[in-house]
Protein backbone atom coordinates (compact mmCIF):
# COMPACT_ATOMS: atom_id res chain seq x y z
CA UNK A 1 0.00 0.00 0.00
CA UNK A 2 2.88 2.33 0.84
CA UNK A 3 4.55 1.45 -2.46
CA UNK A 4 1.39 2.49 -4.42
CA UNK A 5 1.27 5.82 -2.60
CA UNK A 6 4.92 6.31 -3.36
CA UNK A 7 4.52 5.85 -7.11
CA UNK A 8 1.41 8.04 -7.11
CA UNK A 9 3.38 10.85 -5.58
CA UNK A 10 6.13 10.37 -8.13
CA UNK A 11 3.66 10.82 -11.00
CA UNK A 12 3.10 14.46 -10.09
CA UNK A 13 6.81 15.17 -9.94
CA UNK A 14 8.32 13.23 -12.87
CA UNK A 15 5.48 13.21 -15.39
CA UNK A 16 3.26 16.21 -14.74
CA UNK A 17 1.86 16.25 -18.34
CA UNK A 18 1.14 12.52 -18.66
CA UNK A 19 -2.43 11.27 -17.95
CA UNK A 20 -5.56 13.26 -17.47
CA UNK A 21 -6.67 14.78 -15.28
CA UNK A 22 -3.33 16.11 -14.01
CA UNK A 23 -2.55 15.08 -10.49
CA UNK A 24 -1.55 17.63 -7.98
CA UNK A 25 0.76 16.74 -5.18
CA UNK A 26 -0.60 17.65 -1.82
CA UNK A 27 1.19 20.23 0.20
CA UNK A 28 3.91 18.53 2.14
CA UNK A 29 6.35 19.58 4.68
CA UNK A 30 9.93 20.44 3.73
CA UNK A 31 11.11 17.07 4.86
CA UNK A 32 8.55 15.32 2.62
CA UNK A 33 9.56 17.38 -0.39
CA UNK A 34 13.21 16.60 0.21
CA UNK A 35 12.39 12.91 0.47
CA UNK A 36 10.45 13.01 -2.81
CA UNK A 37 13.27 14.77 -4.65
CA UNK A 38 15.71 12.12 -3.54
CA UNK A 39 13.32 9.36 -4.67
CA UNK A 40 12.91 11.02 -8.02
CA UNK A 41 16.64 11.27 -8.52
CA UNK A 42 16.90 7.61 -7.68
CA UNK A 43 14.20 6.68 -10.20
CA UNK A 44 15.93 8.66 -12.98
CA UNK A 45 19.04 6.70 -12.38
CA UNK A 46 17.03 3.43 -12.57
CA UNK A 47 15.68 2.73 -16.13
CA UNK A 48 13.19 0.11 -15.00
CA UNK A 49 11.51 2.49 -12.58
CA UNK A 50 11.07 5.19 -15.25
CA UNK A 51 9.63 2.69 -17.74
CA UNK A 52 7.15 1.44 -15.13
CA UNK A 53 6.05 4.98 -14.44
CA UNK A 54 5.52 5.74 -18.14
CA UNK A 55 3.58 2.44 -18.61
CA UNK A 56 1.25 3.37 -15.79
CA UNK A 57 0.51 6.71 -17.45
CA UNK A 58 -0.19 5.09 -20.87
CA UNK A 59 -2.57 2.55 -19.26
CA UNK A 60 -4.61 5.43 -17.85
CA UNK A 61 -4.85 7.02 -21.32
CA UNK A 62 -6.04 3.79 -22.94
CA UNK A 63 -8.70 3.30 -20.27
CA UNK A 64 -9.95 6.85 -20.84
CA UNK A 65 -10.05 6.26 -24.62
CA UNK A 66 -12.06 3.06 -24.16
CA UNK A 67 -14.52 4.89 -21.90
CA UNK A 68 -14.98 7.68 -24.50
CA UNK A 69 -15.47 5.11 -27.31
CA UNK A 70 -18.12 3.27 -25.29
CA UNK A 71 -19.99 6.52 -24.60
CA UNK A 72 -19.85 7.50 -28.29
CA UNK A 73 -21.17 4.06 -29.37
CA UNK A 74 -24.01 4.32 -26.83
CA UNK A 75 -24.98 7.75 -28.18
CA UNK A 76 -24.96 6.46 -31.77
CA UNK A 77 -27.25 3.59 -30.78
CA UNK A 78 -29.68 6.00 -29.11
CA UNK A 79 -29.73 8.25 -32.21
CA UNK A 80 -30.40 5.29 -34.51
CA UNK A 81 -33.25 4.06 -32.28
CA UNK A 82 -34.77 7.56 -32.24
CA UNK A 83 -34.65 7.80 -36.05
CA UNK A 84 -36.35 4.39 -36.47
CA UNK A 85 -39.05 5.36 -33.96
CA UNK A 86 -39.79 8.59 -35.82
CA UNK A 87 -39.97 6.76 -39.15
CA UNK A 88 -42.42 4.20 -37.76
CA UNK A 89 -44.55 6.99 -36.30
CA UNK A 90 -44.76 8.69 -39.71
CA UNK A 91 -45.78 5.42 -41.37
CA UNK A 92 -48.51 4.79 -38.79
CA UNK A 93 -49.83 8.35 -39.18
CA UNK A 94 -49.94 7.95 -42.97
CA UNK A 95 -51.84 4.66 -42.70
CA UNK A 96 -54.37 6.13 -40.26
CA UNK A 97 -55.22 9.05 -42.56
CA UNK A 98 -58.68 8.88 -44.25
CA UNK A 99 -58.64 7.88 -47.92
CA UNK A 100 -58.29 10.74 -50.33
CA UNK A 101 -61.50 11.58 -52.14
CA UNK A 102 -59.71 13.09 -55.09
CA UNK A 103 -59.04 11.04 -58.18
CA UNK A 104 -55.57 9.67 -57.66
CA UNK A 105 -53.21 9.31 -60.58
CA UNK A 106 -51.53 6.31 -58.97
CA UNK A 107 -54.68 4.14 -59.22
CA UNK A 108 -54.69 1.53 -61.91
CA UNK A 109 -57.43 1.32 -64.51
CA UNK A 110 -58.87 -1.79 -62.84
CA UNK A 111 -59.10 -0.01 -59.47
CA UNK A 112 -60.86 2.97 -61.02
CA UNK A 113 -63.29 0.73 -62.86
CA UNK A 114 -63.97 -1.26 -59.69
CA UNK A 115 -64.76 1.87 -57.69
CA UNK A 116 -67.11 3.20 -60.34
CA UNK A 117 -68.85 -0.15 -60.62
CA UNK A 118 -69.33 -0.30 -56.85
CA UNK A 119 -70.88 3.18 -56.87
CA UNK A 120 -73.24 2.24 -59.69
CA UNK A 121 -74.30 -0.94 -57.86
CA UNK A 122 -75.20 1.09 -54.78
CA UNK A 123 -77.18 3.55 -56.91
CA UNK A 124 -79.03 0.70 -58.59
CA UNK A 125 -80.14 -0.59 -55.19
CA UNK A 126 -81.40 2.87 -54.27
CA UNK A 127 -83.28 3.20 -57.57
CA UNK A 128 -85.03 -0.14 -57.05
CA UNK A 129 -85.94 0.85 -53.49
CA UNK A 130 -87.37 4.13 -54.82
CA UNK A 131 -89.48 2.35 -57.42
CA UNK A 132 -90.77 -0.15 -54.86
CA UNK A 133 -91.71 2.67 -52.48
CA UNK A 134 -93.51 4.56 -55.26
CA UNK A 135 -95.33 1.40 -56.33
CA UNK A 136 -96.41 0.75 -52.75
CA UNK A 137 -97.76 4.30 -52.50
CA UNK A 138 -99.65 3.82 -55.75
CA UNK A 139 -101.26 0.65 -54.42
CA UNK A 140 -102.16 2.45 -51.19
CA UNK A 141 -103.88 5.17 -53.21
CA UNK A 142 -105.92 2.60 -55.12
CA UNK A 143 -106.83 0.81 -51.89
CA UNK A 144 -108.05 4.04 -50.29
CA UNK A 145 -110.20 4.89 -53.32
CA UNK A 146 -111.67 1.40 -53.33
CA UNK A 147 -112.56 1.60 -49.64
CA UNK A 148 -114.24 4.99 -50.08
CA UNK A 149 -116.32 3.67 -52.97
CA UNK A 150 -117.23 0.59 -50.93
CA UNK A 151 -118.53 2.79 -48.10
CA UNK A 152 -120.48 4.97 -50.50
CA UNK A 153 -122.17 2.00 -52.17
CA UNK A 154 -122.51 -0.18 -49.07
CA UNK A 155 -125.73 -1.26 -47.52
CA UNK A 156 -124.94 0.45 -44.23
CA UNK A 157 -125.08 3.82 -45.96
CA UNK A 158 -128.64 3.09 -47.07
CA UNK A 159 -129.83 2.02 -43.65
CA UNK A 160 -129.33 5.41 -42.02
CA UNK A 161 -131.54 8.46 -42.19
CA UNK A 162 -131.31 10.98 -45.02
CA UNK A 163 -129.72 13.75 -42.97
CA UNK A 164 -126.88 11.63 -41.65
CA UNK A 165 -126.42 9.96 -45.04
CA UNK A 166 -125.98 13.34 -46.71
CA UNK A 167 -123.33 14.38 -44.19
CA UNK A 168 -121.45 11.08 -44.63
CA UNK A 169 -121.61 11.34 -48.42
CA UNK A 170 -120.12 14.86 -48.25
CA UNK A 171 -117.27 13.57 -46.10
CA UNK A 172 -116.67 10.61 -48.44
CA UNK A 173 -116.65 12.90 -51.48
CA UNK A 174 -114.18 15.23 -49.78
CA UNK A 175 -111.84 12.32 -49.00
CA UNK A 176 -112.22 11.04 -52.54
CA UNK A 177 -111.22 14.42 -53.96
CA UNK A 178 -108.20 14.75 -51.70
CA UNK A 179 -107.04 11.26 -52.57
CA UNK A 180 -107.35 11.96 -56.30
CA UNK A 181 -105.04 14.95 -55.93
CA UNK A 182 -102.20 12.53 -55.14
CA UNK A 183 -100.68 11.50 -58.47
CA UNK A 184 -98.07 8.74 -58.49
CA UNK A 185 -96.65 7.32 -61.67
CA UNK A 186 -94.08 4.54 -62.00
CA UNK A 187 -93.12 4.18 -65.64
CA UNK A 188 -92.10 0.92 -67.26
CA UNK A 189 -89.57 0.53 -70.05
CA UNK A 190 -91.11 -1.62 -72.81
CA UNK A 191 -90.20 -2.75 -76.30
CA UNK A 192 -92.63 -2.69 -79.20
CA UNK A 193 -93.88 -6.24 -78.55
CA UNK A 194 -94.56 -5.49 -74.89
CA UNK A 195 -96.35 -2.27 -75.82
CA UNK A 196 -98.65 -4.14 -78.19
CA UNK A 197 -99.34 -6.89 -75.62
CA UNK A 198 -100.25 -4.33 -72.94
CA UNK A 199 -102.59 -2.52 -75.29
CA UNK A 200 -104.41 -5.74 -76.20
CA UNK A 201 -104.72 -6.88 -72.54
CA UNK A 202 -106.07 -3.47 -71.48
CA UNK A 203 -108.60 -3.49 -74.33
CA UNK A 204 -109.91 -6.94 -73.29
CA UNK A 205 -110.36 -5.85 -69.66
CA UNK A 206 -112.11 -2.64 -70.69
CA UNK A 207 -114.59 -4.59 -72.84
CA UNK A 208 -115.28 -6.90 -69.91
CA UNK A 209 -116.01 -3.93 -67.62
CA UNK A 210 -118.62 -2.64 -70.10
CA UNK A 211 -120.47 -5.97 -69.97
CA UNK A 212 -120.61 -6.23 -66.18
CA UNK A 213 -124.01 -4.58 -65.79
CA UNK A 214 -125.56 -6.62 -68.60
CA UNK A 215 -124.34 -10.04 -67.46
CA UNK A 216 -123.05 -9.97 -63.89
CA UNK A 217 -122.76 -13.74 -63.47
CA UNK A 218 -121.12 -14.43 -66.84
CA UNK A 219 -118.72 -11.48 -66.42
CA UNK A 220 -117.67 -12.74 -63.02
CA UNK A 221 -116.76 -16.19 -64.42
CA UNK A 222 -114.84 -14.58 -67.26
CA UNK A 223 -112.91 -12.36 -64.85
CA UNK A 224 -112.01 -15.41 -62.76
CA UNK A 225 -110.66 -17.20 -65.84
CA UNK A 226 -108.62 -14.12 -66.81
CA UNK A 227 -107.28 -13.78 -63.27
CA UNK A 228 -106.29 -17.48 -63.27
CA UNK A 229 -104.13 -16.71 -66.31
CA UNK A 230 -102.05 -14.29 -64.20
CA UNK A 231 -101.20 -16.54 -61.24
CA UNK A 232 -98.44 -19.12 -61.00
CA UNK A 233 -100.16 -21.66 -58.75
CA UNK A 234 -102.83 -23.98 -60.14
CA UNK A 235 -106.18 -22.14 -59.92
CA UNK A 236 -109.48 -23.88 -59.09
CA UNK A 237 -111.16 -22.37 -62.17
CA UNK A 238 -110.48 -22.78 -65.91
CA UNK A 239 -107.73 -20.61 -67.42
CA UNK A 240 -108.25 -18.23 -70.32
CA UNK A 241 -105.42 -19.53 -72.54
CA UNK A 242 -105.70 -16.73 -75.10
CA UNK A 243 -105.52 -14.02 -72.44
CA UNK A 244 -102.63 -15.84 -70.72
CA UNK A 245 -100.56 -15.75 -73.93
CA UNK A 246 -101.12 -11.99 -74.16
CA UNK A 247 -100.18 -11.41 -70.51
CA UNK A 248 -96.97 -13.44 -70.82
CA UNK A 249 -95.86 -11.12 -73.65
CA UNK A 250 -96.20 -8.08 -71.39
CA UNK A 251 -93.44 -6.63 -69.21
CA UNK A 252 -93.12 -8.02 -65.68
CA UNK A 253 -94.40 -4.88 -63.99
CA UNK A 254 -97.33 -4.74 -66.42
CA UNK A 255 -98.23 -8.32 -65.54
CA UNK A 256 -98.41 -7.35 -61.84
CA UNK A 257 -100.60 -4.35 -62.64
CA UNK A 258 -102.97 -6.44 -64.78
CA UNK A 259 -103.32 -9.01 -62.01
CA UNK A 260 -103.98 -6.29 -59.43
CA UNK A 261 -106.67 -4.67 -61.62
CA UNK A 262 -108.47 -7.99 -62.13
CA UNK A 263 -108.45 -8.63 -58.37
CA UNK A 264 -110.02 -5.21 -57.77
CA UNK A 265 -112.72 -5.87 -60.36
CA UNK A 266 -113.54 -9.25 -58.81
CA UNK A 267 -113.94 -7.68 -55.37
CA UNK A 268 -116.20 -4.99 -56.78
CA UNK A 269 -118.34 -7.60 -58.54
CA UNK A 270 -118.67 -9.67 -55.37
CA UNK A 271 -119.64 -6.59 -53.34
CA UNK A 272 -122.17 -5.58 -55.98
CA UNK A 273 -123.74 -9.05 -55.96
CA UNK A 274 -124.01 -8.94 -52.18
CA UNK A 275 -125.67 -5.55 -52.29
CA UNK A 276 -128.13 -6.73 -54.97
CA UNK A 277 -129.06 -9.76 -52.89
CA UNK A 278 -129.59 -7.62 -49.82
CA UNK A 279 -131.77 -5.19 -51.72
CA UNK A 280 -133.85 -8.04 -53.21
CA UNK A 281 -134.27 -9.54 -49.75
CA UNK A 282 -135.46 -6.21 -48.37
CA UNK A 283 -137.98 -5.87 -51.21
CA UNK A 284 -139.43 -9.27 -50.38
CA UNK A 285 -139.78 -8.30 -46.73
CA UNK A 286 -141.28 -4.83 -47.47
CA UNK A 287 -144.88 -5.16 -48.86
CA UNK A 288 -144.86 -1.61 -50.24
CA UNK A 289 -141.87 -2.42 -52.41
CA UNK A 290 -143.89 -5.22 -54.12
CA UNK A 291 -147.05 -3.14 -54.46
CA UNK A 292 -148.93 -5.17 -51.83
CA UNK A 293 -151.10 -3.56 -49.15
CA UNK A 294 -149.67 -3.54 -45.69
CA UNK A 295 -151.32 -6.01 -43.34
Amino acid sequence: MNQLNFFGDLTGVLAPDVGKPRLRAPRETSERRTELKEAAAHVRKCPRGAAALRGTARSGDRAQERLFSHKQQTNNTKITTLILTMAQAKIQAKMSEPPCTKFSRTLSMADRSGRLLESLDQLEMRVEALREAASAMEQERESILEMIQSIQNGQEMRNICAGEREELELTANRLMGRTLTVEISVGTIRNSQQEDALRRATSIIDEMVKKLLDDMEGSRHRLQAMHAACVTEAPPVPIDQKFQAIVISCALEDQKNIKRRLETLLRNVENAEKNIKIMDHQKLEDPKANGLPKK
Side-chain angles (χ1 to χ4, degrees), residues 135-276:
S135 179
M137 292 177 64
E138 187 177 12
Q139 294 179 24
E140 178 66 13
R141 177 179 179 271
E142 294 177 358
S143 177
I144 291 174
L145 292 174
E146 183 180 350
M147 292 176 66
I148 294 173
Q149 291 175 354
S150 176
I151 292 175
Q152 288 177 332
N153 301 325
Q155 184 62 31
E156 294 181 356
M157 185 69 77
R158 299 187 183 94
N159 293 334
I160 60 178
C161 63
E164 293 181 354
R165 186 187 310 116
E166 183 179 1
E167 184 178 355
L168 292 174
E169 287 178 352
L170 289 175
T171 304
N173 291 331
R174 180 177 59 84
L175 293 176
M176 178 75 72
R178 288 178 59 83
T179 306
L180 291 174
T181 59
V182 180
E183 296 181 357
I184 304 170
S185 177
V186 181
T188 304
I189 300 176
R190 310 179 185 90
N191 54 31
S192 58
Q193 182 181 359
Q194 292 173 342
E195 288 279 359
D196 182 65
L198 178 61
R199 180 183 56 80
R200 293 168 59 189
T202 304
S203 177
I204 293 173
I205 296 175
D206 292 341
E207 290 294 329
M208 181 58 57
V209 172
K210 294 178 182 179
K211 299 177 181 179
L212 282 175
L213 296 177
D214 297 333
D215 185 8
M216 185 75 69
E217 186 67 20
S219 298
R220 182 172 62 84
H221 290 299
R222 179 73 189 281
L223 286 173
Q224 290 176 348
M226 293 168 63
H227 179 264
C230 301
V231 297
T232 55
E233 61 273 7
V237 297
I239 299 175
D240 190 338
Q241 301 290 339
K242 182 179 179 181
F243 186 75
Q244 186 180 44
I246 297 173
V247 173
I248 291 175
S249 301
C250 295
L252 182 59
E253 294 181 358
D254 292 333
Q255 294 179 17
K256 295 179 181 179
N257 293 333
I258 291 171
K259 177 184 176 183
R260 189 162 59 246
R261 184 183 179 189
L262 291 173
E263 290 174 350
T264 302
L265 289 173
L266 284 172
R267 284 196 299 269
N268 291 336
V269 169
E270 291 176 358
N271 292 332
E273 289 180 345
K274 290 179 181 179
N275 291 332
I276 291 173

Side-chain angles (χ1 to χ4, degrees), residues 113-126:
S113 177
R115 289 190 177 185
L116 293 175
L117 182 60
E118 183 178 357
S119 299
L120 291 176
D121 289 340
Q122 294 178 355
L123 288 174
E124 183 177 7
M125 295 174 62
R126 294 179 61 181

Side-chain angles (χ1 to χ4, degrees), residues 7-25 40 44 53-54 57 61:
F7 281 104
D9 294 335
L10 287 180
T11 303
V13 177
L14 297 178
D17 297 330
V18 178
K20 295 180 181 181
R22 183 174 178 181
L23 298 177
R24 284 188 177 184
R44 290 192 186 97
L53 185 61
R54 289 192 295 272
D61 292 339

